[in-house]
Amino acid sequence: MGMGIQQHEDNNVVEQQKSRFRYNSPLVQVSLIGLVCFCCPGMFNALSGMGGGGQVDDTAANNANTALYTTFAVFGILGGGIYNVLGPHMTLFMGCSTYVLYAGSFLYYNHYHHQAFAIVAGAFLGIGAGLLWAGQGAIMTSYPPANRKGTYISLFWSIFNMGGVIGGLIPFFLNYHRTKAVSVNDGTYIGFMCFMTAGTLLSLAILPPSKVIRDDGSRCTKVKYSSPSTEAKEILKLFMNWKMLLIVPAAWASNFFYSYQFNNVNGALFNLRTRGLNNVFYWGAQMIGSIGIGYVLDFSFKSRRMRGFVGIGVSALLGTAIWAGGLANQLTYSRDNTPEVKLDFKESGSDFAGPFVLYFSYGLLDAIFQTMVYWVIGALADDSEVLSRYSGFYKGVQSAGAAVAWQIDTRKVPFLSQLIVNWSLTTIGYPLLFILVLLAVKDDTTESDDTDKTQTPKEAALA
């Protein structure tokens, strides 16, 4: 499947389509991939967001996440090429099935406390997640029309993060009366596995890009088939692509802060049931953030380039304010001086409010930052083949950063040092994204990467 030579569509534009809710429309397909991610990475996020994978000792979860993001870094970069060769059905199905295995490994750990299974499952999940997210990135950034990419990205992000909201409710309700418990019960992990299995089956409903038709009649890709040799060459070119190099700092930072926020804020300050409740609001905040920044990126100005500048500016200002609030909170405790009595949403009164608002704000910023980066990637091209590679490169670099971050936490690096590094990394990314939008994002959408792959930064500035 997909092993033939590249063939161009003879009729790249077909008759204008009237219904946005037809099965082969970008709206329906982006919504479907959102539901797939609702069930799989959405539930994974809820599990990780509890701190330590819902266990009293976060060592097993940290080591599993290190293995996960190490393999994710490799297969995230390769994932775009694999998706172009195998197509969505096989790529997404294989990717989603590894989430079930990962949740099952913590069910096993709940009884036997052997972390080897969790680490191996984490490594397999890294492979699967690389495949899933490369395909997801291609669908989310290439299927929508050029002037509504921010809206479709925010639509996906809202559906996807609803999984984290529902996933946060699972441990909250199942452990509500276990106020002294330190690890979640078996039912929590089984609930996650049921959702993940449903997402794996739903992935078979995603159409290949050649069959998806936008409302104006244009198809989502100009290439019908790809081959392993073609994809290998194109992936290697990414490491010399100046546009991708400018994205590297933002990509590295975009999952780096999870280990700090999940383990050292939510896990360190709150009791078990409150951590589940916090996740409901953390992922709910992501829905609000993605919708807000999506509106800015699509509707704030007529000029697409200006909308990009404004989106980066909004993210930078909010990021500075939120990380400053995080610093103020972090100065009240440390790794060697964590609160003996964990905060509870019912019993802690006003002491609960400040850290809760901060954790909510971290979720808001995460969505704003990642939606903004995805919009920039989507503005660099319109073709699914190109954007699957770009998205895979972004997820690969992102996962390499996350692997380092989880191991940093395993090494017991001071909380304050982790916060400062996270704040610095996200800040470095903003001016480089500004430069990328300035040089590479065009207001005229007729040009794209698949028509001009050799343009240099100097030529882009003159264009």
Side-chain angles (χ1 to χ4, degrees):
M1 180 177 180
M3 299 295 288
I5 61 173
Q6 294 186 0
Q7 298 178 350
H8 291 273
E9 294 282 336
D10 294 330
N11 52 342
N12 193 51
V13 178
V14 297
E15 184 180 352
Q16 188 170 358
Q17 304 294 303
K18 294 181 179 180
S19 175
R20 292 184 178 181
F21 299 100
R22 56 200 156 73
Y23 185 57
N24 67 340
S25 70
L27 178 63
V28 170
Q29 291 298 308
V30 170
S31 298
L32 281 174
I33 193 64
L35 288 172
V36 169
C37 290
F38 167 100
C39 293
C40 294
M43 294 299 152
F44 167 82
N45 283 345
L47 177 60
S48 297
M50 294 169 57
Q55 298 293 321
V56 59
D57 184 1
D58 58 19
T59 301
N62 282 354
N63 288 332
N65 280 322
T66 300
L68 188 167
Y69 287 107
T70 299
T71 53
F72 196 167
V74 176
F75 280 85
I77 293 173
L78 297 177
I82 295 172
Y83 173 83
N84 288 341
V85 173
L86 298 181
H89 287 166
M90 188 177 296
T91 305
L92 298 178
F93 185 85
M94 290 190 302
C96 290
S97 62
T98 59
Y99 284 86
V100 185
L101 178 67
Y102 182 81
S105 73
F106 278 91
L107 177 61
Y108 173 87
Y109 186 85
N110 228 19
H111 291 271
Y112 301 103
H113 299 283
H114 297 152
Q115 62 173 303
F117 183 18
I119 293 172
V120 172
F124 275 107
L125 177 54
I127 297 171
L131 301 180
L132 170 61
W133 282 104
Q136 171 273 335
I139 292 167
M140 184 180 68
T141 57
S142 70
Y143 284 19
N147 63 341
R148 291 294 179 267
K149 291 195 177 186
T151 302
Y152 278 72
I153 292 171
S154 63
L155 171 66
F156 163 82
W157 212 257
S158 297
I159 298 172
F160 157 50
N161 282 297
M162 182 58 73
V165 172
I166 302 300
L169 290 173
I170 293 173
F172 174 68
F173 285 121
L174 292 180
N175 299 277
Y176 184 82
H177 296 293
R178 304 172 72 229
T179 56
K180 304 300 181 183
V182 292
S183 61
V184 299
N185 57 18
D186 288 355
T188 302
Y189 294 118
I190 293 171
F192 286 141
M193 292 172 70
C194 290
F195 273 102
M196 292 170 175
T197 301
T200 302
L201 297 175
L202 186 60
S203 69
L204 298 174
I206 303 297
L207 291 176
S210 60
K211 293 184 178 180
V212 179
I213 303 174
R214 302 186 183 99
D215 294 344
D216 62 1
S218 62
R219 295 185 184 273
C220 295
T221 184
K222 298 176 183 177
V223 181
K224 188 174 182 180
Y225 301 112
S226 188
S227 67
S229 60
T230 298
E231 292 305 322
K233 293 176 184 176
E234 294 301 323
I235 289 171
L236 288 175
K237 289 179 182 179
L238 294 175
F239 292 92
M240 297 177 286
N241 185 324
W242 62 274
K243 299 173 187 177
M244 293 297 97
L245 295 179
L246 286 174
I247 285 176
V248 165
W252 184 274
S254 59
N255 270 188
F256 201 89
F257 44 70
Y258 280 163
S259 60
Y260 170 76
Q261 292 175 1
F262 295 161
N263 285 355
N264 305 330
V265 178
N266 200 29
L269 296 179
F270 302 96
N271 66 12
L272 184 62
R273 69 176 185 178
T274 304
R275 280 148 54 185
L277 180 66
N278 286 350
N279 276 337
V280 172
F281 286 92
Y282 182 93
W283 301 113
Q286 299 234 1
M287 298 166 65
I288 298 171
S290 63
I291 292 171
I293 196 66
Y295 180 86
V296 170
L297 292 168
D298 275 355
F299 299 106
S300 58
F301 290 91
K302 184 176 180 180
S303 165
R304 181 163 70 164
R305 184 181 289 174
M306 180 59 67
R307 296 197 302 269
F309 292 152
V310 172
I312 294 169
V314 168
S315 180
L317 289 174
L318 285 176
T320 300
I322 291 170
W323 282 113
L327 176 61
N329 178 70
Q330 186 57 72
L331 292 175
T332 64
Y333 70 102
S334 67
R335 186 180 290 278
D336 299 323
N337 185 30
T338 55
E340 293 184 8
V341 179
K342 304 294 185 182
L343 295 172
D344 182 83
F345 76 100
K346 289 184 67 175
E347 300 173 0
S348 297
S350 59
D351 292 338
F352 167 75
F356 168 77
V357 171
L358 173 65
Y359 194 65
F360 176 91
S361 300
Y362 279 146
L364 189 76
L365 179 60
D366 179 22
I368 290 172
F369 187 82
Q370 292 211 58
T371 300
M372 180 263 297
V373 176
Y374 268 120
W375 181 90
V376 173
I377 292 173
L380 299 178
D382 288 322
D383 187 76
S384 174
E385 297 259 333
V386 176
L387 288 173
S388 66
R389 301 179 194 117
Y390 282 5
S391 298
F393 183 86
Y394 167 70
K395 296 301 292 188
V397 174
Q398 179 188 72
S399 301
V404 173
W406 286 103
Q407 201 53 221
I408 285 174
D409 194 53
T410 301
R411 305 287 179 177
K412 310 301 181 185
V413 173
F415 293 166
L416 181 59
S417 299
Q418 292 190 41
L419 181 144
I420 292 171
V421 170
N422 280 308
W423 190 357
S424 301
L425 286 173
T426 53
T427 302
I428 291 170
Y430 295 125
L432 297 180
L433 289 173
F434 186 94
I435 293 171
L436 180 58
V437 170
L438 177 66
L439 297 180
V441 174
K442 302 290 189 300
D443 290 325
D444 180 4
T445 60
T446 58
E447 293 184 43
S448 65
D449 258 37
D450 46 322
T451 60
D452 185 3
K453 294 184 173 63
T454 60
Q455 197 174 42
T456 67
K458 182 177 179 180
E459 291 168 337
L462 294 174

